[in-house]
Amino acid sequence: QAVRMEEVLRQLRDCGQFEQVDLRGHQIVADATPLFVKFGTGGVEASQEILEYEFAGLQHLHDGSALLRVPRPVLTGTLPDSESGFLVMEHIEFARRPPSSFLENLAAGVGQLHSVTDADGVYGFPADGCCGSAPQLNNSDRRQMGWVEFWREYRLEAQLAAIKAQHPTDAELQELGAQLSKRLPEFFGGSGLIEADIAPALLHGDLWSGNYRADTSGTPCIFDPACYYGHHEADHGINHMFGGGEAFQNNGYQSQFSLAPGYDRRAQLYELHHHLNHLQMFGSGYREGAVSLMRRLLR
């Protein structure tokens, strides 16, 4: 680790952004600003290209809401004699306990993010990346398509294909997934929500309860994104899976985005994506939850 930090230090000194860069104990400080260095993502090594995706996502989030604090990304690089990358960002000191207004303020800030839409009306992101350690395709060639088509191709069917490669004999999961893929339009028609009205909103992409904290002033901070532009409700899925939906079940959010008809079923659909993602990353312990959700959605 010390050798890695020395290499990051060298690249920071050479990048031309700072007058002075020092290593103080285990902390890099650049022009009196403490920095945080992230090696890899999702607990595994990652290339510089993947970390450049996270860099871009942090920048979009940083610019997207005045109510949230997002670590400012500084630099990505590759370690010598290795394909492993690193990401340097602003270090944020977290509070030991959040203020009582934390969830309401977090929700208001996330609502502000969801009010930011892609300038070209395109679902996805200019770069493919990852969610945790699992690959995430993002329509990086910027094709114009509807939201159902995007979700089918780049979320549901992409996950099913990755899982089939890992678990080729699991015919039941694949059959349920194929049925659900055919029925996706049902979640966006006849329920009061019209697909054509779904704007490509700026999404964190992995907003579970471990990816937000309060800083020492009480300001909500979000980090470790898997950014793309899509239906704002898609950000709710992982928060229902790990957090009980706490980031969205208050006036801070719902004063900006009221829950549209059919929300409960779509929340399950968006939660399913993360069950499949966790099955891909962590194995069969997440299979039962994914299969149970698919059966419920197909009733």
Side-chain angles (χ1 to χ4, degrees):
Q1 187 77 4
V3 173
R4 287 181 160 199
M5 290 296 279
E6 286 293 339
E7 177 58 26
V8 173
L9 196 67
R10 183 191 67 78
Q11 293 192 37
L12 279 166
R13 286 170 174 161
D14 290 346
C15 76
Q17 295 187 52
F18 305 103
E19 293 184 6
Q20 184 172 349
V21 182
D22 300 303
L23 185 61
R24 301 178 187 173
H26 299 291
Q27 179 92 66
I28 292 179
V29 179
D31 293 347
T33 299
L35 300 178
F36 174 78
V37 183
K38 181 177 182 180
F39 297 102
T41 188
V44 300
E45 300 289 306
S47 67
Q48 180 177 350
E49 182 180 15
I50 287 294
L51 292 170
E52 284 174 351
Y53 162 68
E54 183 170 342
F55 184 109
L58 288 169
Q59 193 65 61
H60 279 244
L61 296 175
H62 186 273
D63 297 342
S65 175
L67 301 177
L68 301 174
R69 188 172 177 190
V70 180
R72 182 178 63 85
V74 173
L75 182 73
T76 61
T78 299
L79 299 168
D81 304 319
S82 167
E83 295 183 357
S84 297
F86 63 85
L87 169 62
V88 183
M89 66 189 83
E90 169 194 14
H91 173 82
I92 296 176
E93 193 73 29
F94 295 131
R96 300 178 86 177
R97 289 184 180 179
S100 59
S101 59
F102 173 73
L103 285 175
E104 189 93 7
N105 294 339
L106 170 70
V110 173
Q112 196 174 64
L113 284 181
H114 289 173
S115 299
V116 177
T117 56
D118 182 79
D120 299 316
V122 177
Y123 300 110
F125 202 75
D128 294 327
C130 60
C131 183
S133 61
Q136 177 170 284
L137 301 177
N138 287 322
N139 185 29
S140 57
D141 55 1
R142 309 282 289 161
R143 289 164 48 210
Q144 288 283 352
M145 61 176 63
W147 173 244
V148 170
E149 183 182 0
F150 174 88
W151 193 260
R152 175 183 287 123
E153 179 174 346
Y154 291 106
R155 294 296 176 263
L156 179 58
E157 292 187 353
Q159 288 281 17
L160 291 171
I163 292 166
K164 186 174 184 178
Q166 294 175 329
H167 307 278
T169 61
D170 193 342
E172 180 189 27
L173 185 142
Q174 294 296 326
E175 175 57 29
L176 290 169
Q179 291 179 40
L180 186 59
S181 180
K182 291 178 183 177
R183 291 179 57 181
L184 280 180
E186 296 177 15
F187 297 87
F188 304 96
S191 64
L193 177 70
I194 301 171
E195 181 191 2
D197 291 339
I198 297 175
L202 176 57
L203 307 180
H204 178 282
D206 196 15
L207 198 65
W208 71 289
S209 57
N211 282 346
Y212 48 79
R213 297 279 296 276
D215 70 9
T216 53
S217 72
T219 301
C221 309
I222 58 173
F223 42 88
D224 286 353
C227 272
Y228 64 102
Y229 287 81
H231 184 201
H232 65 272
E233 290 179 0
D235 245 357
H236 300 208
I238 188 71
N239 199 257
H240 279 281
M241 184 176 178
F242 297 118
E246 65 180 10
F248 305 100
Q249 295 176 347
N250 56 61
N251 191 58
Y253 187 81
Q254 294 185 24
S255 63
Q256 301 175 73
F257 291 94
S258 58
L259 302 184
Y263 170 82
D264 289 341
R265 288 193 78 215
R266 288 190 303 277
Q268 292 175 11
L269 175 69
Y270 293 139
E271 181 180 342
L272 171 64
H273 167 66
H274 294 281
H275 283 264
L276 294 173
N277 199 58
H278 278 68
L279 173 57
Q280 186 182 342
M281 289 189 292
F282 303 119
S284 58
Y286 284 92
R287 180 189 183 277
E288 184 177 349
V291 167
S292 175
L293 270 173
M294 284 194 279
R295 286 176 178 155
R296 202 178 313 157
L297 288 164
L298 287 167
R299 286 175 188 159

